Structure formats: C-alpha cells, structure tokens
Amino acid sequence: MTQTETETVPEQDVPGRTRWGVFLAILAVPTLVVAALLALLIAWLFTDDSVDTGVRTVSCAEAFAYGGAKSPTGVRDLTCSLEAGQRPRYEARFLMRNAEVSAWVAANYPDGPALRTVQCGGTDVYACLNRDPAAGQSASVQMEVAHDSDRWSEVRYKAFTP
C-alpha cells in the first residue's frame, strides 16, 4: 500500500482581529468629556446673568432720608443703592467740594457727632462719622470721606438698621 502523503499546508499569516470594541471604548471617553464640556459652555453662554443680588438703584432722597439727612446739593457722580435683606442698607456715593463736606454734615446732624479724623478705616479715608440711631430714628449712619483731588472729596454714605 502506498502511503498517501499528507500535505501539510503551512499556516498562513492571518492578521489579528482588530478589537473594535476596545478601540471604540478608548475613543468614547475623551469624546464624551469634550461633548460634556461643550454642553456646559453652551449652557453657560445662554444663562441669564442678571441674577438678583438684592442690590438695586433707588432715589437718593430715599437713601438720605433713611439716615435722617437731606440730599446734598452741588455734588457730582451721585449714585444711591439699596441692599435688601432682613434689614435694609442704603448706600450713597458722590463727589463733593472739600470745603462743603463738614458744613453738610453739621447741617444734617446738628446734634452730632461731627466728622472726625482719627480711627477711620482705610488709608485713603481722611474723615469719618459713625452715628447711632437718634431719637425717633431707627437707622445708624456711617460716612467715610476720602480725597478725590485737591478740590473734591469722595463721600461714601451708609444708612442701615443695626
């Protein structure tokens, strides 16, 4: 009997199977991160930036009246605001001639105290006033006066309920 020769076929070099699942999983993570960041950026761009901080512009007559004073005359850059909360806090900022500041304080608070030049906060503040509520009033007043120029002072006036 003749033996049949068995042909052996050498293994062919078959390329390995690409593992697409692993490859896609690796690509999916950074893609999802970038997509999430883009979504957050778009949401941030279209959100309403007018979040209510509780601070609003009010008439200056209202702000000064709360502290028992009258609005000053001959001032520049007068702005007044109200910080609403459990207790209202009015603030006014304005520029007034240096020579008129003490006279305005004395006219509005004849029973004192006068502006003082010691124990005032801040290095730019040259005069200040702290006034507790007077009879018939419920508001305290704080005032800081700083030099803006040789002729003008910046006055920061606050009236609040302690």
Side-chain angles (χ1 to χ4, degrees):
M1 265 185 52
T2 58
Q3 245 184 356
T4 53
E5 234 177 81
T6 317
E7 285 184 30
T8 40
V9 179
E11 285 187 28
Q12 295 179 354
D13 290 332
V14 178
R17 247 180 73 173
T18 303
R19 299 195 176 163
W20 287 106
V22 174
F23 180 72
L24 289 175
I26 291 171
L27 283 179
V29 171
T31 304
L32 290 174
V33 169
V34 169
L37 289 174
L38 281 173
L40 286 173
L41 176 67
I42 290 169
W44 176 71
L45 288 174
F46 289 104
T47 56
D48 185 13
D49 290 338
S50 63
V51 176
D52 186 16
T53 59
V55 178
R56 62 182 175 92
T57 303
V58 294
S59 77
C60 290
E62 177 183 342
F64 287 110
Y66 192 77
K70 292 184 180 178
S71 295
T73 57
V75 298
R76 297 187 331 200
D77 303 332
L78 179 60
T79 60
C80 298
S81 61
L82 168 64
E83 182 180 337
Q86 288 182 338
R87 297 181 176 140
R89 180 182 181 90
Y90 288 90
E91 185 171 334
R93 290 177 177 254
F94 54 94
L95 295 176
M96 181 179 246
R97 293 193 184 277
N98 294 338
E100 297 173 359
V101 175
S102 293
W104 177 74
V105 171
N108 283 285
Y109 303 111
D111 54 341
L115 285 173
R116 66 176 190 273
T117 57
V118 294
Q119 296 178 337
C120 294
T123 57
D124 62 334
V125 176
Y126 75 86
C128 59
L129 172 130
N130 288 325
R131 177 186 166 96
D132 291 328
Q137 291 183 334
S138 61
S140 293
V141 174
Q142 289 180 346
M143 197 178 320
E144 293 179 336
V145 184
H147 283 296
D148 183 65
S149 67
D150 291 341
R151 299 178 71 204
W152 295 90
S153 292
E154 178 189 7
V155 181
R156 296 181 291 261
Y157 178 91
K158 297 174 186 167
F160 57 93
T161 304

